[in-house]
Amino acid sequence: LDEIPEIGQTPERILVLQDFAVNAQGILTEPSMMGRMQGREGSLVLVNAKSNPAIPIARNGWSRLRLINASV
């Protein structure tokens, strides 16, 4: 696909996805055994260590996304 000019010249972004469990005080907590088995640790989801980040893409533009799931 890199040989197609529109794709080969497209800006690439790497997004690292992680989720964490936090208590009411905002302190990280260990997931339960069932939570680990289900692959979900918590409700705090981060992308590149940021909560709800903006990912700018030019109008009528292209962007190549490479997603890395760094969670259980």
Side-chain angles (χ1 to χ4, degrees):
L1 291 175
D2 287 335
E3 295 176 12
I4 300 170
E6 291 82 6
I7 294 175
Q9 298 170 5
T10 299
E12 180 176 287
R13 297 180 190 275
I14 297 173
L15 304 177
V16 179
L17 311 175
Q18 291 181 288
D19 65 328
F20 302 93
V22 294
N23 63 18
Q25 292 77 32
I27 299 170
L28 292 175
T29 61
E30 285 292 319
S32 67
M33 183 58 75
M34 185 58 75
R36 287 183 186 187
M37 290 173 31
Q38 293 174 343
R40 184 77 174 146
E41 290 187 13
S43 59
L44 175 61
V45 179
L46 302 180
V47 178
N48 294 353
K50 295 180 182 172
S51 178
N52 208 16
I55 302 170
I57 299 175
R59 175 175 274 178
N60 298 322
W62 290 65
S63 189
R64 220 177 194 185
L65 303 177
R66 295 200 187 263
L67 305 176
I68 300 171
N69 183 0
S71 295
V72 176

